[in-house]
Amino acid sequence: MARFRQVVVLGTAAAAAFALTASPASAATTTIRAGSADAAPYSGNVQASLLGEATVEASIGSGSCSESTMTGSINSDGTGLSISGAGFSECTGTAGVTITAMALPWTGGAVAFDPAGTNGRDATVTIANFSVEAVVDLFGGITCNFGGTLTADGYNGDNASRPVADNAQAQVGVNDATVNRQSGSNFLCPSTAQISATYELLGETSAGSGTFDQSLYVTGSA
């Protein structure tokens, strides 16, 4: 049971990673750039990859997953976020689990540059409309659906406060955020779980290449 919760965290955190570059609400004051604060604006495909492990704590236990990747696209003004692909694997726990991202693409996320640098971050990230199904191999199969809205912190690759110091890419950190059980879940599924995870975010140097090697950077000016 703990195992499936960790995967839910992956979906949530990955959505957060993409949301770092997507914000209709803050388009006038938020710009995504190709690698530095004074670089050209970036529009195009993006990929979020899990750094380390995603962990989940819930009323019936805890666990972790070590691999997750998301793909999508964004506009340079932070609008037009679309997360079209999501994968999760290498989850530890007491039973087998199959994780499926539901209702793709995930849209409606937002980011706002934080000029005050609250808690060391560069931006606040809001993720809406994510949805993940986890089927746990217990008692013939237990299906749990989690989703909703999540708030996370965004960090540029040169921010000394970024969660993973030895990774110099844009990062999104989710720290003890709560995800909620959704309709269609088995009655054995807990109503909430707390998740923690960090993802790095990269774009493409060559548009449409499928090679994600372009650093990204969020600033507060157009």
Side-chain angles (χ1 to χ4, degrees), residues 46-120:
V46 288
Q47 177 176 277
S49 301
L50 181 68
L51 296 174
E53 292 188 332
T55 62
V56 178
E57 299 287 340
S59 59
I60 61 174
S62 63
S64 64
C65 293
S66 62
E67 291 187 9
S68 177
T69 301
M70 302 282 185
T71 54
S73 62
I74 47 115
N75 297 322
S76 63
D77 65 355
T79 64
L81 170 65
S82 178
I83 302 173
S84 56
F88 318 98
S89 60
E90 299 302 319
C91 298
T92 61
T94 57
V97 61
T98 300
I99 306 302
T100 305
M102 306 295 288
L104 291 169
W106 294 336
T107 61
V111 63
F113 178 72
D114 183 359
T118 308
N119 297 324

Side-chain angles (χ1 to χ4, degrees), residues 6-194:
Q6 309 146 247
V7 183
V8 173
V9 101
L10 293 176
T12 302
F18 283 102
L20 174 61
T21 57
S23 178
S26 59
T29 58
T30 300
T31 302
I32 307 307
R33 300 184 181 277
S36 67
D38 56 359
Y42 178 89
S43 291
N45 296 327
V46 288
Q47 177 176 277
S49 301
L50 181 68
L51 296 174
E53 292 188 332
T55 62
V56 178
E57 299 287 340
S59 59
I60 61 174
S62 63
S64 64
C65 293
S66 62
E67 291 187 9
S68 177
T69 301
M70 302 282 185
T71 54
S73 62
I74 47 115
N75 297 322
S76 63
D77 65 355
T79 64
L81 170 65
S82 178
I83 302 173
S84 56
F88 318 98
S89 60
E90 299 302 319
C91 298
T92 61
T94 57
V97 61
T98 300
I99 306 302
T100 305
M102 306 295 288
L104 291 169
W106 294 336
T107 61
V111 63
F113 178 72
D114 183 359
T118 308
N119 297 324
R121 68 193 176 199
D122 292 300
T124 56
V125 179
T126 301
I127 301 91
N129 299 315
F130 69 86
S131 178
V132 178
E133 177 187 82
V135 179
V136 183
D137 188 17
L138 288 173
F139 309 113
I142 299 173
T143 298
C144 299
N145 299 322
F146 285 84
T149 299
L150 176 111
T151 300
D153 296 325
Y155 304 85
N156 288 320
D158 61 357
N159 186 333
S161 297
R162 64 190 184 279
V164 182
D166 61 359
N167 180 285
Q169 303 299 337
Q171 298 176 20
V172 172
V174 182
N175 187 23
D176 289 332
T178 297
V179 290
N180 298 308
R181 183 179 63 200
Q182 304 295 304
S183 61
S185 297
N186 187 284
F187 74 95
L188 293 173
C189 302
S191 60
T192 64
Q194 284 66 51

